Every structure is written in structure tokens, then in C-alpha cells.
Amino acid sequence: MYFKQLQVVQFKNHQQTYLPISKPIVCFTGLNGVGKTNLLDAIYYLCITKSYFNSNDNFNIKNDFDFFRIHGKLENHDGNLIEITCKQPLNGKKEFLINKNSYEKISDHIGKFPAVMITPFDNELILEGGELRRKFLDNLISQTNPKYLETLIQYNKILLQRNTLLKQFAKQQKQNIPLLNTYSEQLISIAPLIYNTRKESIPIIEKYSKKVYQNISNESEHISVEYESELNSNQYSDLLHQNLQKDLITQRTNSGIHKDDLVFSMNNQSIKKYGSQGQQKSFIISLKMAQFYFIKLKLNTQPFLLIDDFFDRLDEERANTLMKILPTDTQVFITDTDKNRIATSLKKTNKDFEIFELENGKVLTIYS
């Protein structure tokens, strides 16, 4: 599957941008702030139905406009053209179209055009709390497993209802424990599918992460990815029973798969505490490439690979190694501030590429 055209209208800082695409590796270059990353995000939108950076769709509409539109034309392996369109009116309902037909549920689009994004902000996966790592894991699995996505949406909906009820108890100073137990039982019934799917996925993610990291670091460090969950050693029903009084006091559900986390280590030590910036960047790239290979394994198709600020926090040796291991049978989109640097690096690989330079609101083809 390859993008052949991309049209972006009133999306972030792009008023109207059109790109005819012809190569498997596509680079966007230019100074900071010209909209390189926003083009990657537009592609991500068409694949995943939402922005990689902003959860509020309204924030992605260009200032002083009342909608954005992203349109992509893709070619599949049979040579057939597929059109994807995302429309977002200000404060309105988002619409997704495939070949001009809308989805009954936008979530049905997830997994049809898988994509993996790598950005400098991904370092927060190491530095910040478990919520980001859960989102990473859920995004990875959801693109390959519709049942998982459906169950996860259902779980989060019930969890919200349970937490809302707990808040009502405190506000009204009146408790309806049988109703609370109804929500608890619903969580207990669907949590195992999410837990087991996550647990089964971790060895695959770790395997690919180690392989990529060893290539980037010349096997000088060894990494691990572990799944941390209360359900590893407890029944969910027992946890909810044991934490009932705590839930009533704090007005939220304190135990469950929504508290799961991933533990990242390097040479048996916390990579957050002991990893250098270069090592952390290499780890994140390895983790994201593991996501790429996981999706490829599960769907037997190649995800799009989107890499923002390619050389960020990588020394020349690691950057060149990463360039060499880029997949050759998928479409890769890259941004960099230096067109000569990225062109020189790509020429060494003998891979087919094109570069679009962004300047003063215009897109120019530099190499093709």
C-alpha cells in the first residue's frame, strides 16, 4: 500500500497543500515551524482516525477557519486506487470516508491502514507515567485486533460509569452498593481478554525491540520490556472487593487493567534512571520498530512508517545504522531540517526517495 497523493486543507498551519507522491521514501525538509510534522500528522490521521499529538480534533483546525479536510489517494498491491477522506467541522462530528462511503463507526477504520509514528516526544514513554505506556500498547494491539479494540472501548465506558457513580455517592452522601457491584461485575467479565492479549503481546514486542536495539547499538547494551499488572498475581474480583472502601473514599476505581504498566530496562537497570539521551532515543526507536514488526506479523501487511526529526539525539553512527535498517517494502515518511543531510544519508543506502522542501507556505520538490 502506497500513498500517491495527499491533500491538506486548513489543517494546523497548512491552508491548502497538495503533494503528488511517487517514491517509497518521502522526506519533508525545512526550518522549524513550516509544517513538516503537520504533514506526518495528516497522514497519521488518515490511517488512525486521529492526531498523534492533539486529542481534541478542534485544535487541529487552522486558526480563523471552521473546518479541516485531509484527503489521501493510495494504491494497493493490486494497483487499485483507494481514497480516504477525513472531514472535521469546528465543534461538529468528525466524518471518515473510504472511497466516498462513510463508516457507521469510525473505529471500524482502525487497522485497515496501519501506521507507526516515531517522534522526539516519544521519549515521554520512558520519562512519564504509565498512562502513556498503556496507550502505546493499546494502539499497537488495536491496529491488529478489532475485538481487543471493541472490548477496550467497552471497558473504558464501564469504568467511567463506575467512577461517576462513586462521585455521586460522595456528593449525595448515599450509597447504592448493588448498582456499584453491577458495574464491577461487568469490568470483571471483560478485563481478562484485555489482560491476556496484552500479556501475550509483550514477548513479541520484546523480541523485536531487542533485535533492533542490538543493530543500532552494535550489541553494546541489552534491553528488556516487562508487563506490570495487578492481575499477574491477583484475581480482579478480589482486587475490587479489597479496595471497595478505598474506592468509596477516593471516588475512583483504584485497581484493574487501567493501572497496568510497562517496565523498560537496559542491562538490568532502569533506562529512565541510567540511560543516556542517545540510549533512550535508541530504545524508543527500537520499541516503535517492534510495533512496526508486530503489526506486520499479525496483519501480514506493512504499516506506514512516519519518522519525525530523524536525526534527533542520535550520533552519526546510530543514525546511519537506523537509515540502513529502514524497511524496503513499505512507504516511509521522514522529516528533517537539513535537506542536504538527509539526502546524503539516503544516497548511501541506494534507496529510492524524494524530498519536498517547505518554504514560505509552498512545497517544492527538491529530489525525485
Side-chain angles (χ1 to χ4, degrees):
M1 192 83 68
Y2 287 87
F3 273 89
K4 306 300 289 185
Q5 295 178 13
L6 178 68
Q7 184 180 33
V8 178
V9 178
Q10 296 164 189
F11 179 74
K12 297 190 175 182
N13 71 332
H14 289 271
Q15 183 165 345
Q16 187 159 332
T17 299
Y18 171 77
L19 294 175
I21 300 170
S22 61
K23 305 295 182 182
I25 298 182
V26 183
C27 306
F28 304 129
T29 67
L31 300 176
N32 290 327
V34 297
K36 306 183 301 295
T37 301
N38 294 340
L39 291 178
L40 290 190
D41 202 26
I43 295 168
Y44 190 84
Y45 239 115
L46 291 181
C47 295
I48 310 298
T49 76
K50 60 183 178 180
S51 168
Y52 189 80
F53 303 99
N54 296 323
S55 59
N56 189 323
D57 292 307
N58 286 325
F59 292 166
N60 299 300
I61 299 174
K62 184 175 173 63
N63 289 339
D64 301 322
F65 289 90
D66 58 4
F67 76 94
F68 77 70
R69 180 179 182 272
I70 309 171
H71 179 77
K73 188 174 290 186
L74 297 80
E75 182 178 275
N76 65 17
H77 297 298
D78 297 325
N80 298 318
L81 292 179
I82 301 171
E83 295 188 44
I84 310 174
T85 304
C86 175
K87 299 177 181 179
Q88 177 63 59
L90 185 64
N91 298 320
K93 183 178 180 180
K94 177 166 57 181
E95 184 178 12
F96 249 83
L97 304 171
I98 183 165
N99 293 333
K100 300 182 180 179
N101 296 312
S102 61
Y103 285 98
E104 182 177 342
K105 295 187 300 181
I106 290 181
S107 60
D108 291 341
H109 183 77
I110 304 297
K112 292 184 181 297
F113 306 91
V116 174
M117 175 89 87
I118 304 175
T119 84
F121 298 102
D122 292 331
N123 210 46
E124 294 178 356
L125 282 170
I126 294 174
L127 302 178
E128 299 299 327
E131 181 179 1
L132 288 177
R133 291 182 285 276
R134 284 193 301 277
K135 285 184 177 180
F136 162 77
L137 185 59
D138 288 338
N139 175 278
L140 182 156
I141 300 173
S142 294
Q143 291 194 66
T144 66
N145 189 331
K147 181 63 176 177
Y148 179 88
L149 176 58
E150 178 185 342
T151 306
L152 183 66
I153 292 172
Q154 183 183 8
Y155 180 92
N156 288 333
K157 180 179 179 180
I158 298 169
L159 179 65
L160 177 61
Q161 292 172 329
R162 189 178 192 272
N163 287 341
T164 300
L165 185 62
L166 287 166
K167 290 181 175 64
Q168 289 177 358
F169 288 173
K171 184 177 180 180
Q172 299 172 358
Q173 296 186 338
K174 183 178 180 181
Q175 297 177 357
N176 185 341
I177 300 301
L179 179 57
L180 185 69
N181 288 339
T182 298
Y183 289 131
S184 299
E185 290 167 4
Q186 291 176 12
L187 292 176
I188 292 167
S189 68
I190 62 177
L193 185 147
I194 299 171
Y195 167 75
N196 290 325
T197 306
R198 287 175 176 175
K199 187 175 181 180
E200 292 165 1
S201 301
I202 297 304
I204 303 173
I205 297 168
E206 184 180 51
K207 171 187 172 182
Y208 286 121
S209 295
K210 286 182 175 180
K211 184 175 181 180
V212 175
Y213 193 93
Q214 287 174 356
N215 284 333
I216 297 176
S217 67
N218 293 317
E219 302 190 19
S220 57
E221 301 112 18
H222 299 280
I223 63 171
S224 67
V225 179
E226 298 177 32
Y227 179 38
E228 187 176 80
S229 176
E230 294 173 304
L231 272 66
N232 284 341
S233 56
N234 298 278
Q235 294 293 322
Y236 197 6
S237 56
D238 293 339
L239 290 170
L240 288 176
H241 177 72
Q242 293 165 8
N243 285 286
L244 176 59
Q245 291 305 313
K246 184 178 180 181
D247 290 353
L248 292 170
I249 294 170
T250 61
Q251 303 169 42
R252 65 178 183 272
T253 306
N254 287 276
S255 290
I257 55 169
H258 55 284
K259 298 292 185 179
D260 289 354
D261 203 349
L262 297 177
V263 179
F264 302 145
S265 302
M266 182 185 67
N267 296 335
N268 298 318
Q269 294 181 311
S270 167
I271 194 167
K272 176 180 179 179
K273 292 183 179 179
Y274 299 101
S276 67
Q277 284 193 343
Q279 289 170 330
Q280 290 181 359
K281 175 72 174 185
S282 297
F283 179 88
I284 290 298
I285 290 172
S286 302
L287 191 66
K288 288 305 190 80
M289 290 305 299
Q291 180 182 13
F292 176 91
Y293 290 115
F294 181 95
I295 293 172
K296 178 183 176 182
L297 175 69
K298 294 293 184 178
L299 297 182
N300 195 29
T301 189
Q302 298 275 29
F304 295 104
L305 183 60
L306 317 174
I307 307 178
D308 187 31
D309 202 353
F310 184 88
F311 291 94
D312 174 68
R313 300 179 193 173
L314 288 178
D315 57 41
E316 184 177 356
E317 182 179 358
R318 293 192 184 213
N320 288 335
T321 300
L322 174 60
M323 186 66 75
K324 291 177 183 177
I325 65 173
L326 287 179
T328 57
D329 47 0
T330 192
Q331 198 167 33
V332 182
F333 295 87
I334 298 172
T335 72
D336 189 38
T337 55
D338 190 332
K339 67 187 178 198
N340 294 320
R341 175 174 60 183
I342 195 71
T344 299
S345 185
L346 279 166
K347 285 178 180 178
K348 293 177 182 178
T349 68
N350 295 317
K351 295 178 180 178
D352 203 11
F353 68 93
E354 61 188 344
I355 297 179
F356 296 95
E357 185 176 23
L358 279 67
E359 182 179 308
N360 297 325
K362 295 181 180 180
V363 178
L364 307 173
T365 303
I366 307 302
Y367 297 105
S368 62

